[in-house]
Amino acid sequence: FEAGPPFEKNGLEWSVITVKGQSFMIHQIRKMIGLAVAIARGHTGLNTMEGAWGMNRIDVPRAPGLGLMLDTVHFEKYNKRISGDGMHESLDWAGQEEAVEKFKEDFIFSDIMETEAAERSMMTWLSECLPLHTFVPRHFESEDREPSVLRNAHLKATKYAQIRQDTAEEKSSDLTETESTEDNPGVEI
């Protein structure tokens, strides 16, 4: 796990984070990044990372998928076991490194950065999704069901907004009925 130096492009700050492994579970990288960001921003502590290695399935946020890409396929085991036997050559990207890097810069990174600048998926995730996580074992696996203060506030605000919208729709409906009876005074609704 390696974080590159931060840099600025398109008015946003970026860092290339490299994770190398033999294989990954579904959403594993997004959850690793999500938890690292949550710890760095003070939403939880290092104890959550330690707890995530245990038997309980911890409520860990998934970072947005924009920017996640398979950078390099490594063939170390193949090269160690099979290449050099006189029949098989080793597999590597040494001869294509310059072309691959140019392609990534010109097409992949530029598209990722333009999309984030336009859609703000990471900024939305940081402000709206990340605070909703409790960082405790999932509710169906835990006796600790206490949601975070921020999550409670978000749930109350969402409920309040829905009530206001429902009330506004009812008033609008009442106005429409009143207007139609005024247009036709002999008709009762």
Side-chain angles (χ1 to χ4, degrees):
F1 206 94
E2 180 182 313
F7 61 94
E8 189 176 327
K9 194 159 190 172
N10 294 345
L12 298 171
E13 190 172 357
W14 302 87
S15 178
V16 175
I17 299 171
T18 305
V19 181
K20 183 178 178 182
Q22 185 173 341
S23 62
F24 299 103
M25 305 271 299
I26 188 167
H27 304 305
Q28 181 181 353
I29 303 301
R30 291 176 61 193
K31 286 187 171 194
M32 290 167 69
I33 299 299
L35 183 55
V37 170
I39 291 169
R41 293 181 65 90
H43 290 274
T44 190
L46 287 173
N47 58 330
T48 302
M49 186 182 306
E50 293 164 8
W53 295 112
M55 293 302 291
N56 288 325
R57 295 192 318 185
I58 305 296
D59 176 31
V60 175
R62 281 190 313 230
L66 180 65
L68 179 63
M69 66 174 229
L70 175 62
D71 184 59
T72 307
V73 179
H74 299 274
F75 298 102
E76 284 113 1
K77 287 189 176 190
Y78 171 86
N79 290 340
K80 195 180 277 184
R81 262 193 353 233
I82 297 176
S83 72
D85 64 358
M87 293 176 53
H88 301 91
E89 295 180 21
S90 65
L91 300 173
D92 63 34
W93 300 100
Q96 295 80 21
E97 280 184 34
E98 190 175 311
V100 168
E101 289 303 316
K102 182 171 178 15
F103 180 84
K104 286 191 310 192
E105 286 292 328
D106 293 348
F107 296 99
I108 298 173
F109 291 155
S110 63
D111 184 64
I112 289 168
M113 292 176 182
E114 287 172 14
T115 303
E116 177 60 28
E119 296 177 5
R120 300 282 206 209
S121 64
M122 180 58 88
M123 299 307 290
T124 301
W125 179 79
L126 288 170
S127 64
E128 296 177 13
C129 298
L130 184 58
L132 298 179
H133 289 273
T134 60
F135 305 98
V136 296
R138 293 185 185 171
H139 70 280
F140 52 85
E141 298 171 338
S142 171
E143 296 300 316
D144 185 5
R145 296 175 187 208
E146 181 182 326
S148 72
V149 175
L150 288 173
R151 185 170 193 283
N152 277 339
H154 175 75
L155 293 173
K156 286 178 183 177
T158 302
K159 183 177 180 180
Y160 178 73
Q162 185 62 47
I163 290 169
R164 286 189 59 159
Q165 181 179 354
D166 292 346
T167 304
E169 288 172 1
E170 286 175 13
K171 286 182 181 178
S172 174
S173 175
D174 290 345
L175 287 175
T176 305
E177 288 177 18
T178 304
E179 289 170 4
S180 63
T181 57
E182 288 172 0
D183 292 342
N184 301 309
V187 177
E188 288 188 28
I189 296 183

